[in-house]
PDB file of all heavy atoms in Angstrom:
ATOM      1  N   LEU A 160      57.545  70.575  32.359  1.00 93.00           N
ATOM      2  CA  LEU A 160      58.192  71.458  31.400  1.00 93.00           C
ATOM      3  C   LEU A 160      58.591  72.773  32.016  1.00 93.00           C
ATOM      4  O   LEU A 160      57.832  73.297  32.937  1.00 93.00           O
ATOM      5  CB  LEU A 160      57.308  71.733  30.203  1.00 93.00           C
ATOM      6  CG  LEU A 160      56.868  70.468  29.382  1.00 93.00           C
ATOM      7  CD1 LEU A 160      56.005  70.886  28.225  1.00 93.00           C
ATOM      8  CD2 LEU A 160      58.059  69.700  28.963  1.00 93.00           C
ATOM      9  N   ILE A 161      59.707  73.379  31.623  1.00 92.00           N
ATOM     10  CA  ILE A 161      60.244  74.658  32.092  1.00 92.00           C
ATOM     11  C   ILE A 161      60.398  75.556  30.921  1.00 92.00           C
ATOM     12  O   ILE A 161      60.851  75.124  29.814  1.00 92.00           O
ATOM     13  CB  ILE A 161      61.565  74.428  32.845  1.00 92.00           C
ATOM     14  CG1 ILE A 161      61.415  73.436  33.947  1.00 92.00           C
ATOM     15  CG2 ILE A 161      62.124  75.726  33.409  1.00 92.00           C
ATOM     16  CD1 ILE A 161      62.659  73.113  34.673  1.00 92.00           C
ATOM     17  N   PRO A 162      60.140  76.851  31.086  1.00 93.00           N
ATOM     18  CA  PRO A 162      60.325  77.817  30.008  1.00 93.00           C
ATOM     19  C   PRO A 162      61.685  77.815  29.423  1.00 93.00           C
ATOM     20  O   PRO A 162      62.689  77.578  30.117  1.00 93.00           O
ATOM     21  CB  PRO A 162      59.964  79.187  30.565  1.00 93.00           C
ATOM     22  CG  PRO A 162      59.051  78.843  31.735  1.00 93.00           C
ATOM     23  CD  PRO A 162      59.552  77.530  32.310  1.00 93.00           C
ATOM     24  N   ILE A 163      61.864  78.110  28.157  1.00 93.00           N
ATOM     25  CA  ILE A 163      63.166  78.193  27.491  1.00 93.00           C
ATOM     26  C   ILE A 163      63.994  79.289  28.027  1.00 93.00           C
ATOM     27  O   ILE A 163      63.425  80.411  28.199  1.00 93.00           O
ATOM     28  CB  ILE A 163      62.995  78.255  25.936  1.00 93.00           C
ATOM     29  CG1 ILE A 163      62.226  77.054  25.406  1.00 93.00           C
ATOM     30  CG2 ILE A 163      64.307  78.416  25.244  1.00 93.00           C
ATOM     31  CD1 ILE A 163      61.960  77.144  23.950  1.00 93.00           C
ATOM     32  N   GLY A 164      65.246  79.056  28.276  1.00 92.00           N
ATOM     33  CA  GLY A 164      66.177  80.084  28.837  1.00 92.00           C
ATOM     34  C   GLY A 164      66.300  80.022  30.348  1.00 92.00           C
ATOM     35  O   GLY A 164      67.037  80.787  30.956  1.00 92.00           O
ATOM     36  N   THR A 165      65.594  79.145  31.009  1.00 92.00           N
ATOM     37  CA  THR A 165      65.626  79.073  32.492  1.00 92.00           C
ATOM     38  C   THR A 165      66.941  78.456  32.864  1.00 92.00           C
ATOM     39  O   THR A 165      67.413  77.426  32.306  1.00 92.00           O
ATOM     40  CB  THR A 165      64.490  78.189  33.040  1.00 92.00           C
ATOM     41  OG1 THR A 165      63.254  78.790  32.610  1.00 92.00           O
ATOM     42  CG2 THR A 165      64.551  78.145  34.560  1.00 92.00           C
ATOM     43  N   ASN A 166      67.667  79.063  33.819  1.00 92.00           N
ATOM     44  CA  ASN A 166      68.923  78.587  34.300  1.00 92.00           C
ATOM     45  C   ASN A 166      68.728  77.494  35.402  1.00 92.00           C
ATOM     46  O   ASN A 166      67.855  77.663  36.279  1.00 92.00           O
ATOM     47  CB  ASN A 166      69.750  79.748  34.917  1.00 92.00           C
ATOM     48  CG  ASN A 166      70.199  80.738  33.874  1.00 92.00           C
ATOM     49  OD1 ASN A 166      70.539  80.322  32.710  1.00 92.00           O
ATOM     50  ND2 ASN A 166      70.188  82.045  34.210  1.00 92.00           N
ATOM     51  N   LEU A 167      69.473  76.416  35.247  1.00 92.00           N
ATOM     52  CA  LEU A 167      69.345  75.303  36.201  1.00 92.00           C
ATOM     53  C   LEU A 167      70.606  75.433  37.155  1.00 92.00           C
ATOM     54  O   LEU A 167      71.727  75.314  36.745  1.00 92.00           O
ATOM     55  CB  LEU A 167      69.393  73.940  35.496  1.00 92.00           C
ATOM     56  CG  LEU A 167      68.290  73.732  34.453  1.00 92.00           C
ATOM     57  CD1 LEU A 167      68.430  72.440  33.839  1.00 92.00           C
ATOM     58  CD2 LEU A 167      66.890  73.867  35.127  1.00 92.00           C
ATOM     59  N   THR A 168      70.273  75.649  38.444  1.00 92.00           N
ATOM     60  CA  THR A 168      71.294  75.817  39.491  1.00 92.00           C
ATOM     61  C   THR A 168      71.430  74.569  40.260  1.00 92.00           C
ATOM     62  O   THR A 168      70.666  73.598  40.189  1.00 92.00           O
ATOM     63  CB  THR A 168      70.947  77.045  40.347  1.00 92.00           C
ATOM     64  OG1 THR A 168      69.665  76.919  40.925  1.00 92.00           O
ATOM     65  CG2 THR A 168      71.001  78.362  39.502  1.00 92.00           C
ATOM     66  N   ALA A 169      72.354  74.575  41.281  1.00 92.00           N
ATOM     67  CA  ALA A 169      72.652  73.409  42.097  1.00 92.00           C
ATOM     68  C   ALA A 169      71.536  73.119  43.032  1.00 92.00           C
ATOM     69  O   ALA A 169      71.390  71.972  43.484  1.00 92.00           O
ATOM     70  CB  ALA A 169      73.938  73.650  42.842  1.00 92.00           C
ATOM     71  N   ASP A 170      70.685  74.144  43.370  1.00 90.00           N
ATOM     72  CA  ASP A 170      69.585  73.909  44.261  1.00 90.00           C
ATOM     73  C   ASP A 170      68.505  73.147  43.655  1.00 90.00           C
ATOM     74  O   ASP A 170      67.393  72.923  44.297  1.00 90.00           O
ATOM     75  CB  ASP A 170      69.062  75.198  44.898  1.00 90.00           C
ATOM     76  CG  ASP A 170      68.621  76.191  43.829  1.00 90.00           C
ATOM     77  OD1 ASP A 170      68.750  75.847  42.638  1.00 90.00           O
ATOM     78  OD2 ASP A 170      68.124  77.304  44.149  1.00 90.00           O
ATOM     79  N   LEU A 171      68.653  72.734  42.369  1.00 91.00           N
ATOM     80  CA  LEU A 171      67.710  71.775  41.782  1.00 91.00           C
ATOM     81  C   LEU A 171      67.642  70.439  42.601  1.00 91.00           C
ATOM     82  O   LEU A 171      66.652  69.782  42.595  1.00 91.00           O
ATOM     83  CB  LEU A 171      68.063  71.528  40.381  1.00 91.00           C
ATOM     84  CG  LEU A 171      67.196  70.574  39.540  1.00 91.00           C
ATOM     85  CD1 LEU A 171      65.763  71.152  39.380  1.00 91.00           C
ATOM     86  CD2 LEU A 171      67.781  70.239  38.142  1.00 91.00           C
ATOM     87  N   PHE A 172      68.795  70.120  43.243  1.00 92.00           N
ATOM     88  CA  PHE A 172      68.906  68.955  43.979  1.00 92.00           C
ATOM     89  C   PHE A 172      68.936  69.360  45.531  1.00 92.00           C
ATOM     90  O   PHE A 172      69.438  70.448  45.856  1.00 92.00           O
ATOM     91  CB  PHE A 172      70.144  68.146  43.652  1.00 92.00           C
ATOM     92  CG  PHE A 172      70.239  67.844  42.203  1.00 92.00           C
ATOM     93  CD1 PHE A 172      71.076  68.604  41.374  1.00 92.00           C
ATOM     94  CD2 PHE A 172      69.506  66.835  41.599  1.00 92.00           C
ATOM     95  CE1 PHE A 172      71.170  68.334  40.053  1.00 92.00           C
ATOM     96  CE2 PHE A 172      69.617  66.529  40.297  1.00 92.00           C
ATOM     97  CZ  PHE A 172      70.401  67.283  39.507  1.00 92.00           C
TER      98      PHE A 172
END
Side-chain angles (χ1 to χ4, degrees):
L160 300 182
I161 303 177
I163 299 176
T165 304
N166 294 321
L167 302 179
T168 56
D170 57 357
L171 179 67
F172 308 99

